[in-house]
Amino acid sequence: MLETTWFLLWGILWAVYFALDGYDLGLGMNMPFLAQGETDKRVIYNAAGPFWDGNQVWLITAGGVTFAAFPATYAVLFSSLYTPLLLLLFALIFRGVSYEFRRKVDSDSWRKFWDGCNVLGSFLPALLFGVAFANIFMGIPLNAQQINEGNLLTLLNPYGLAGGVLFVVMFSMHGSLWLAVKSSGELEKRATSLARKMWVAVLVMVVVFLGLSLLYTSLFDNYLNNPALFIVLLLPVTGLVLTRKYLDNGEQWKAWASSAAGIIGVTLFGVIGLFPKLLPSTIDPAYSMTIANSASSTLTLQIMLGVALTFVPLVIAYQAWVHIRFGHKITQEDLEYEEAY
């Protein structure tokens, strides 16, 4: 029971991370298409400014839970995906540094360098998370010793690449919606226009990814064995439909919240289909990493549950306060603030 509880918490933590960090990754990716000058770039940086580092807490929490609750899977996962995870780590580091260093020197070439780091440091994590999770859903060639017999190119299969494209377009739309919430004037119009275009791309990629999931994975087995689980699919479908409805009505906050619900729904669809496996083997299902063969001791899981029930509500309360406190549109006065990006 404890193993199942932690499996669900593991999936929820990743889903919340993608819904929160997804929009600031989207802001960075969209900057070359939306910013037409230094003021626009500063609005985009400040739209992410008060939130991006807090959103990273969910990444640390999700990674920490993988390590503490399922250490054997953590070991296999990180040794199997060493190169993409290293690329992901460096991308996130350079992106984080860009927020602080960009304003340190009054030079166009200096600012362009850090803008490039922010754009690349936003695009790569979105792509790599999509490729990684698609391969986790599909499985990798683990042998009897839980050693990955594949390589980096093995991960770049059609299903993995489709997952990468899906995450890129989802985060791009999510970031456009957040920029529409935070900006005004022509920048707000461009952000809204891009969100409409990316909505179509997300719709196409969701359909493609579901079709490929039927061909390449066994995610639908749990749903076919227990049809009541299909209700989970209502979350991404409803989220996508409401995103377009609120976008057309000019209700930007509701459109962004619906997009977040859609991202959570897409992630939970895969996680629930994966259960009870954490990392399937494509060589033999018996070699898969599951909650049964990779969970920590009962005492460890009990202590972790107590810690999670105490601190996760505090993190949620802090995140809610930050988004309410700084969720207003950015003004010229905000840009002139000494600590502004």
Side-chain angles (χ1 to χ4, degrees):
M1 183 63 184
L2 267 175
E3 291 85 354
T4 302
T5 302
W6 271 108
F7 178 87
L8 291 174
L9 285 174
W10 173 78
I12 290 170
L13 287 171
W14 278 111
V16 173
Y17 167 67
F18 292 143
L20 288 176
D21 209 30
Y23 74 78
D24 57 60
L25 292 174
L27 284 170
M29 280 191 291
N30 293 338
M31 187 156 53
F33 309 106
L34 295 177
Q36 293 187 351
E38 177 61 16
T39 301
D40 287 350
K41 288 180 182 176
R42 290 196 62 207
V43 170
I44 291 173
Y45 274 99
N46 283 280
F51 313 103
W52 73 271
D53 48 356
N55 294 340
Q56 300 290 307
V57 170
W58 292 94
L59 173 61
I60 296 167
T61 307
V65 164
T66 312
F67 168 74
F70 305 106
T73 295
Y74 179 90
V76 173
L77 196 61
F78 274 69
S79 58
S80 301
L81 305 177
Y82 186 78
T83 302
L85 288 175
L86 202 62
L87 284 172
L88 175 68
L89 180 64
F90 278 108
L92 290 175
I93 288 173
F94 275 93
R95 173 173 166 267
V97 172
S98 72
Y99 283 102
E100 298 300 329
F101 275 39
R102 184 180 187 275
R103 56 181 172 165
K104 298 295 184 186
V105 177
D106 187 15
S107 160
D108 286 342
S109 56
W110 175 267
R111 283 191 287 268
K112 282 180 182 175
F113 172 76
W114 290 112
D115 288 345
C117 289
N118 190 282
V119 172
L120 195 59
S122 300
F123 171 74
L124 268 182
L127 181 70
L128 291 171
F129 274 126
V131 171
F133 268 79
N135 277 282
I136 289 172
F137 294 158
M138 183 178 70
I140 60 175
L142 292 178
N143 61 24
Q145 288 74 43
Q146 274 84 44
I147 295 173
N148 179 23
E149 293 189 354
N151 52 42
L152 181 61
L153 294 179
T154 311
L155 302 175
L156 302 179
N157 53 74
Y159 188 66
L161 292 173
V165 174
L166 174 63
F167 270 49
V168 167
V169 295
M170 276 198 311
F171 291 175
S172 176
M173 180 184 76
H174 205 37
S176 300
L177 291 169
W178 183 249
L179 186 59
V181 169
K182 293 287 292 176
S183 63
S184 54
E186 290 302 315
L187 184 57
E188 179 187 353
K189 290 178 183 175
R190 289 196 294 273
T192 303
S193 174
L194 182 60
R196 285 199 177 94
K197 292 172 184 170
M198 296 316 297
W199 184 88
V200 177
V202 171
L203 177 64
V204 170
M205 283 311 303
V206 165
V207 172
V208 169
F209 192 73
L210 283 174
L212 291 176
S213 295
L214 271 171
L215 291 175
Y216 284 92
T217 76
S218 57
L219 291 181
F220 281 98
D221 288 358
N222 283 344
Y223 293 90
L224 294 173
N225 292 332
N226 189 355
L229 289 176
F230 275 108
I231 198 169
V232 174
L233 281 174
L234 285 177
L235 187 57
V237 172
T238 306
L240 196 56
V241 170
L242 289 181
T243 298
R244 186 60 190 229
K245 174 178 180 287
Y246 290 131
L247 188 58
D248 290 342
N249 292 345
E251 297 176 274
Q252 296 159 339
W253 264 106
K254 289 181 180 178
W256 175 82
S258 300
S259 171
I263 292 172
I264 290 172
V266 167
T267 310
L268 291 182
F269 157 74
V271 169
I272 290 172
L274 196 61
F275 182 82
K277 300 184 185 76
L278 285 154
L279 188 59
S281 168
T282 55
I283 295 177
D284 187 332
Y287 303 156
S288 300
M289 302 304 297
T290 69
I291 62 171
N293 65 16
S294 65
S296 292
S297 68
T298 300
L299 179 60
T300 301
L301 296 179
Q302 286 174 336
I303 294 172
M304 286 175 58
L305 192 58
V307 172
L309 292 176
T310 303
F311 288 103
V312 170
L314 294 177
V315 174
I316 293 172
Y318 169 76
Q319 290 278 62
W321 178 82
V322 168
H323 281 78
I324 292 171
R325 175 67 179 81
F326 297 102
H328 58 81
K329 288 191 179 293
I330 295 170
T331 64
Q332 187 60 36
E333 185 181 350
D334 293 322
L335 297 179
E336 291 172 357
Y337 182 58
E338 186 180 359
E339 298 299 324
Y341 292 99

